[in-house]
Amino acid sequence: MAIWKQFVLSLIVIAAGFAGWIFLVPGAADVLRNAGVPQNLVARVAPPVKPGGDASGQGEGSQGGRNGGGRNSAVLVVTQAVVQGVVNDRLNAIGTGDAIRSVAVTPQAMGTIREILIKSGDKVKQGQVLAKLDSEEQVIAKGQAEVALKSAIEKSNLYHNIKSSVARMDVFDAEIAEQGARLQLQAAELNLTRRNIVAPIDGIVGIVPVNIGDNVTTSTPIVTLDDRSEILVDYWVPERFANTVSVGQPVEVTTVARPGQAFTGEVQAVDNRIDAASRTLRIRAKIDNRADVLRAGMSFNVSMKFAGDKYPAVDPLSVQWDSQGSFVWRVVDGKSNKVRVSIVQRNPDFVLVKAGIKDGDAIVTQGLQRVREGGPVRFGNEMASKNGVATQ
């Protein structure tokens, strides 16, 4: 068959299908009107709809003639009442834990480690000796300072006893020498004390990275001490919560190391600025850990509850769209009317909207395809009792 004949045949089939759709499908005229076809043209091509019936004069119109007409011309719908929902009522974030106090202990002097008095996992008190450096030189220096002080004291006492026969300046010099000797002894005792490496805080000993015989300096870490009686959790929240989170607000955390167990605490600090790169705000929470089940460095799931803003909540199926935006169908006195809505938040079970609707309003969730502005509706049997409407 020639190409032009195939083309003509295709046009005939399409035209026949379009004509059949117009004359056989109920509501075709409404579709044409919504598509922008002029009313006078729709009236010419689409058959007139008989009152109470469809284009073929059958169906609901005929049934309505036997049952009173007006009842069955109403669209059968299912509705659901509007309820109040809360937006942003919970915040979830991921945070990192740290001990309330943590210190990397380093020596106060250079030397060789002669003794290590602790091991990993030990609990130590502030001031407890953790390790000792070689101290022979400092012991000798202390002995020399003690001898010098003893000599200065004897000389000062002698000059005080015979000050009538010696110059006043000599007595004064003897007193100065005694004070200098005392200071030298204090310095020698301090240098000797610094050969002991002591704990600056109460805490738990980490892994000891040094051994006896190692030469260390004042920058060499000897051990890390963690006071984990409380755990600090740092996490970041979106900037919209900047004016919502406050110090003292309760938090709840969970961790993968303790599945099924929740720990409570409170916000200890709120940063003073928003991070410009991530648009988030740093928050620090404090978690009680007297049971010593949490560790520094753990990851935490942080949860916070807020009062939140309340909005009308509707079924997700009820929200429809047209060229002007989103809307829902509200039923008042058995008739439907279109209400424009602005979606605030989508949830799996409901949608929070900003609209002129209130609690208890009946919103259409099923049968939406045939609902029209101001058109009569009747409720399905399943929802009739909930809406106080009798059905036949």
Side-chain angles (χ1 to χ4, degrees), residues 220-267:
T220 304
I222 302 300
V223 73
T224 300
L225 298 180
D226 284 344
D227 177 6
R228 57 190 190 216
S229 58
E230 293 176 311
I231 297 294
L232 300 178
V233 180
D234 286 356
Y235 58 101
W236 285 258
V237 303
E239 64 176 318
R240 68 175 180 270
F241 292 99
N243 296 325
T244 306
V245 180
S246 60
V247 174
Q249 194 166 353
V251 300
E252 184 179 274
V253 302
T254 58
T255 179
V256 294
R258 309 287 295 189
Q261 186 174 359
F263 303 88
T264 58
E266 63 179 18
V267 175

Side-chain angles (χ1 to χ4, degrees), residues 62-127:
S62 300
Q63 184 69 21
R66 293 190 296 268
N67 294 326
R71 169 72 182 164
N72 288 327
S73 63
V75 177
L76 181 65
V77 298
V78 174
T79 65
Q80 182 172 318
V82 176
V83 296
Q84 282 290 317
V86 181
V87 65
N88 294 333
D89 61 335
R90 179 177 289 271
L91 165 68
N92 294 303
I94 302 296
T96 302
D98 198 3
I100 186 74
R101 290 188 297 174
S102 183
V103 177
V105 181
T106 57
Q108 291 183 299
M110 299 174 59
T112 302
I113 296 179
R114 288 288 180 253
E115 191 175 1
I116 297 176
L117 304 176
I118 44 88
K119 63 182 182 298
S120 177
D122 286 350
K123 293 183 178 181
V124 298
K125 296 292 184 180
Q126 183 177 4

